[in-house]
């Protein structure tokens, strides 16, 4: 049933070459949410430039991420699909929120510590205040629900703190709703095919660590064949998978793609060896990922169309953003 008061916002960085982790951890969820609620999905290009990007590649990646959204089933008539920098309100609200958020709050962000690495002095200021921009993305539309991976939970909590402080400081109770995270239960993290302790990521050196949405059927089955497992057969219970991270990851992927619970998958597969299971996994992956990859390639050959989709989204997003910004400027006392 459609609920008009709920509003979903989420963002994906235009890194290019989206993979199975992006699909199962985020986009698949976006597609099912768009059936129930009003949704805004943003290609967050301003977030991407917190680390140096090749300008030509960035443009291409913005379009490719848009193509991946559409190819995975997002519908630009139902949902608002646009790129962040096309609506200047994101940057404007981010500045205002920079003045609301406290240094101490940002100092606690674990993702900054991870991304900045050992030489924090050399990280961009943008990378440090990235969570404030993320809060601005969400609050600019007064979004109520935010589908994110588990790694973004801390940023969303910060967003709630910022919203609350703004509402208190400017005595405008309930002006910004406190957004709720929608974290997928089963598989908020798809892990690397080579190391079950690491998230599947575009930045891991080996391409064998991930299934890319544009991989061919051949590449997918090769990667699945080579995926790390262990020598034990597939167990009967989830408990027995606790220390078998690679096995658990593959079974989770199978469960997610086939829309079966892990329990059901274990019932189907227990006692079988991995070569049997991997054949099945390859089949379902090829069936679900290859059509998406094909569609991405098709869409990328019509960039004018993709740009039109983004412009349509920008127009719809700007209208909402401007209405809220007008009130925000008034509340803060800007003329
Ligand atoms: N920081 C998010 C990520 O890296 C992307 C993002 C930016 C986002 N703005 C957002 C996610 C707003 C949800 C809502 O995954």
């Amino acid at each position: 049933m459609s609920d008009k008061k709920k509003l979903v916002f989420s963002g994906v960085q235009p890194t290019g070459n989206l993979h199975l982790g992006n699909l199962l951890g985020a986009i698949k969820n976006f597609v099912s949410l768009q059936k129930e609620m009003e949704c805004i999905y943003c290609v967050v290009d301003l977030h991407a430039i917190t680390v140096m990007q090749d300008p030509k590649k960035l443009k291409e990646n913005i379009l490719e991420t848009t193509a991946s959204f559409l190819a995975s089933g997002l519908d630009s008539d139902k949902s608002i699909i646009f790129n962040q920098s096309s609506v200047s309100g994101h940057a404007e609200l981010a500045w205002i929120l920079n003045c609301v958020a406290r240094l101490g709050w940002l100092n606690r962000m674990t993702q900054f510590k991870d991304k900045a690495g050992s030489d924090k002095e050399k990280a961009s200021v943008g990378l440090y205040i990235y969570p404030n921009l993320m809060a601005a993305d969400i609050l600019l539309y007064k979004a109520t629900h935010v589908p994110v991976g588990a790694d973004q939970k801390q940023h969303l909590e910060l967003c709630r703190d910022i919203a609350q402080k703004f509402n208190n400081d400017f005595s405008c109770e309930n002006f910004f709703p406190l957004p709720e995270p929608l974290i997928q239960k089963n598989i908020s993290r798809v892990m690397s095919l080579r190391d079950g302790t690491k998230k599947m990521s575009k930045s891991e050196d080996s391409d064998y660590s991930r299934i890319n949405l544009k991989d061919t059927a051949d590449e997918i089955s090769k990667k699945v064949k080579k995926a790390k497992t262990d020598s034990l057969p597939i167990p009967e219970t989830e408990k027995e998978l606790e220390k078998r991270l690679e096995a658990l990851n593959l079974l989770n992927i199978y469960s997610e793609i086939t829309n079966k619970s892990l329990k059901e998958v274990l019932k189907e597969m227990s006692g079988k060896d991995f070569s049997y299971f991997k054949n099945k996994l390859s089949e379902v992956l090829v069936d679900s990922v290859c059509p998406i990859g094909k569609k991405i390639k098709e869409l990328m050959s019509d960039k004018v169309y993709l740009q039109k989709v983004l412009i349509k989204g920008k127009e719809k997003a700007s209208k909402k953003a401007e209405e809220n910004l007008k009130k925000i400027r008034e509340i803060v006392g800007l003329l």
Side-chain angles (χ1 to χ4, degrees):
M1 226 180 36
S2 131
D3 185 342
K4 281 279 167 254
K5 271 192 205 130
K6 289 183 182 164
L7 177 61
V8 169
F9 184 100
S10 197
V12 173
Q13 288 204 41
T15 50
N17 198 16
L18 293 192
H19 53 68
L20 192 68
N22 304 112
L23 180 69
L24 300 184
I27 304 174
K28 191 175 169 220
N29 200 15
F30 294 177
V31 176
S32 55
L33 285 168
Q34 94 182 336
K35 296 185 191 122
E36 302 159 30
M37 302 183 207
E38 188 180 356
C39 298
I40 306 178
Y41 296 122
C42 184
V43 180
V44 289
D45 46 10
L46 295 176
H47 277 91
I49 61 167
T50 54
V51 296
M52 189 56 202
Q53 302 285 335
D54 174 337
K56 271 205 199 97
K57 270 198 202 135
L58 179 59
K59 270 193 186 157
E60 184 83 2
N61 287 345
I62 293 168
L63 293 176
E64 191 172 304
T65 305
T66 309
S68 305
F69 278 0
L70 300 175
S72 309
L74 288 184
D75 178 344
S76 66
D77 288 324
K78 278 196 200 133
S79 301
I80 299 182
I81 297 173
F82 75 111
N83 64 308
Q84 188 182 27
S85 63
S86 71
V87 176
S88 57
H90 290 257
E92 184 179 344
L93 182 57
W95 180 257
I96 294 174
L97 300 184
N98 282 341
C99 303
V100 175
R102 304 290 96 181
L103 277 179
W105 299 357
L106 284 170
N107 284 338
R108 286 202 293 271
M109 296 296 115
T110 56
Q111 194 173 65
F112 174 75
K113 291 179 195 160
D114 293 344
K115 283 200 179 169
S118 54
D119 199 353
K120 290 195 189 51
E121 302 280 313
K122 287 220 171 113
S124 75
V125 176
L127 188 66
Y128 182 68
I129 56 173
Y130 170 122
N132 293 348
L133 177 59
M134 177 164 162
D137 298 339
I138 298 164
L139 299 178
L140 184 57
Y141 303 95
K142 298 190 174 187
T144 57
H145 292 80
V146 182
V148 280
D151 61 327
Q152 295 297 313
K153 202 166 164 233
Q154 195 187 31
H155 290 163
L156 203 64
E157 276 156 17
L158 180 86
C159 173
R160 291 166 62 93
D161 289 343
I162 293 175
Q164 181 104 61
K165 182 163 165 56
F166 183 98
N167 292 347
N168 286 342
D169 286 357
F170 295 101
S171 310
C172 51
E173 212 189 328
N174 301 329
F175 177 74
F176 283 131
L178 305 186
E180 303 279 345
L182 294 174
I183 296 182
Q184 271 177 292
K185 277 159 257 113
N186 309 338
I187 192 162
S188 61
R189 275 152 78 86
V190 178
M191 310 311 279
S192 157
L193 301 182
R194 313 237 85 187
D195 177 351
T197 64
K198 277 198 203 148
K199 212 173 138 174
M200 185 177 285
S201 147
K202 175 194 138 86
S203 51
E204 189 169 336
D205 282 342
S206 168
D207 201 49
Y208 277 99
S209 69
R210 63 188 156 259
I211 307 280
N212 304 306
L213 297 186
K214 288 191 300 182
D215 279 347
T216 61
D218 229 33
E219 283 166 329
I220 292 176
S221 43
K222 262 196 208 134
K223 287 177 178 180
V224 172
K225 240 186 219 129
K226 282 209 165 198
K228 189 172 165 197
T229 45
D230 50 47
S231 49
L232 299 172
I234 295 168
E236 268 172 41
T237 63
E238 289 175 47
K239 183 120 187 57
E240 292 166 86
L241 281 170
E242 259 170 22
K243 294 214 169 81
R244 300 172 63 187
L245 295 181
E246 285 83 11
L248 174 64
N249 185 41
L250 295 183
L251 288 157
N252 266 335
I253 292 174
Y254 185 82
S255 131
E256 198 58 37
I257 293 271
T258 55
N259 290 317
K260 291 177 188 162
S261 68
L262 188 56
K263 247 200 189 89
E264 285 171 287
V265 171
L266 288 177
K267 213 167 170 190
E268 183 186 336
M269 295 290 170
S270 72
K272 302 270 194 307
D273 57 29
F274 273 100
S275 63
Y276 174 87
F277 168 68
K278 279 179 165 182
N279 277 335
K280 292 275 174 214
L281 178 61
S282 274
E283 266 170 39
V284 296
L285 276 173
V286 166
D287 283 351
S288 54
V289 174
C290 285
I292 295 177
K294 208 172 138 226
K295 188 87 203 177
I296 294 174
K297 289 174 200 161
E298 249 170 60
L299 286 164
M300 281 303 278
S301 68
D302 190 355
K303 301 222 167 74
V304 175
Y305 171 74
L306 290 172
Q307 264 157 351
K308 273 194 197 143
V309 168
L310 289 176
I311 291 171
K312 181 170 78 177
K314 167 211 158 125
E315 280 162 5
K316 290 195 267 183
S318 295
K319 201 163 159 258
K320 282 182 184 288
E322 217 21 71
E323 275 169 29
N324 288 332
L325 263 178
K326 225 171 126 186
K327 290 193 202 113
I328 294 166
R329 290 188 198 108
E330 215 170 273
I331 290 172
V332 176
L334 300 169
L335 259 182

